[in-house]
Amino acid sequence: MEQDFWKMREPFGVLADSRETAARVVELLVRRKQTVSLAESCTGGMTAAALVSVPGASQVFENSFVTYSDRAKNRILGVDWEVLQKYTAVSAQTAAWMARGCREAGEADLALSVTGLAGPGGGTARRPVGLVYIGCSYGERTVVQEYHFQGGREEVRSQAAAAALMLGLGCLRTDE
Amino acid sequence: MEQDFWKMREPFGVLADSRETAARVVELLVRRKQTVSLAESCTGGMTAAALVSVPGASQVFENSFVTYSDRAKNRILGVDWEVLQKYTAVSAQTAAWMARGCREAGEADLALSVTGLAGPGGGTARRPVGLVYIGCSYGERTVVQEYHFQGGREEVRSQAAAAALMLGLGCLRTDE
């Protein structure tokens, strides 16, 4: 299953419905008696909402954090201030710290993090709107993937939420 | 404005679009240089996601919590265990504790809490599916309202998210 997992590092546009992916994540976690927590920035709770849509999610989902400001990322998830200053909030480094910090703050086995530029403002040529980093911490590993989503603010956010769940599913399957 | 506010204690079915309400909440908070945080149970992040949909929300929104399990309500928001055991998670008492605890944990001026039975299972004759308690802590006051929403799981949840934002708006306006 390793190959299947790494394939997902490629950016992709159209994603499976996030509720369907959420249902598969919940199913795998129920089977393993494990839990999931989330640290969301630009998605602002959309990923958690997709998880809670799954009947029976309460078996695997206890809590989740929306850390929208840098200060919240530091205070709640323990993301290092130097990391935030050096790499900015929208970076692979911050996504990794968020995922690891979320696993601890959320006392969960699997943690997903999302941080990105949803727009409409804030983009630059080097860091355009649609740039999103998603982190996953599970078992011994923390993985981060970079995405470039197209569309307006809501489209970027919903694609990011779906991608986070897909990454979580990929990490769970890698360990099967 | 007091009267306008108390009117909302009546249960109601159809609600204004939650994004529109979210935009008005953000607008008022920006003007007052104040912040908002959320403690969501059955809505699981939907209310936070509606807030983040508003451009400029970052000026007033730093963080938010999804506390789905009793344990998370106690651990993250400080909801008293005795309150959870005596009144259950879906109660006016728990909603009030969640709102107050969220204000502290989120270091916010305004805190909204949502806890309810979204179904499809878990309802009883006395406590039917659709029963939702929403709390708002702002200034010197913490207010809780009881709602009875109709519809399936997703409908109950989206109505609850919209009602939470409406209650927040009501509390902000009462203090105008």
Side-chain angles (χ1 to χ4, degrees), chain B residues 151-164:
Chain B
R153 182 174 175 84
E154 293 313 300
E155 287 161 295
V156 168
R157 290 173 68 213
S158 58
Q159 288 176 90

Side-chain angles (χ1 to χ4, degrees), chain B residues 92-141:
Chain B
Q93 290 82 358
T94 295
W97 275 80
M98 285 172 72
R100 280 191 296 256
C102 178
R103 229 171 117 175
E104 202 175 311
E107 299 186 349
D109 300 294
L110 171 71
L112 299 169
S113 65
V114 187
T115 182
L117 296 166
T124 63
R126 270 190 61 201
R127 296 163 56 79
V129 166
L131 173 65
V132 177
Y133 291 93
I134 295 177
C136 178
S137 186
Y138 184 65
E140 302 296 309
R141 298 202 306 172

Side-chain angles (χ1 to χ4, degrees), chain B residues 47-61:
Chain B
T47 321
L51 266 179
V52 172
S53 294
V54 181
S58 60
Q59 291 177 74
V60 304
F61 179 68

Side-chain angles (χ1 to χ4, degrees), chain A residues 60-96:
Chain A
V60 303
F61 179 68
E62 285 211 34
N63 53 63
S64 179
F65 307 92
V66 179
T67 52
Y68 205 52
S69 68
D70 282 11
R71 192 160 156 272
K73 289 174 182 72
N74 169 262
R75 191 172 66 84
I76 297 168
L77 304 172
V79 179
D80 198 280
W81 268 119
E82 283 182 28
V83 168
L84 286 164
Q85 280 164 350
K86 187 169 176 187
Y87 301 103
T88 81
V90 181
S91 64
Q93 289 83 356
T94 295

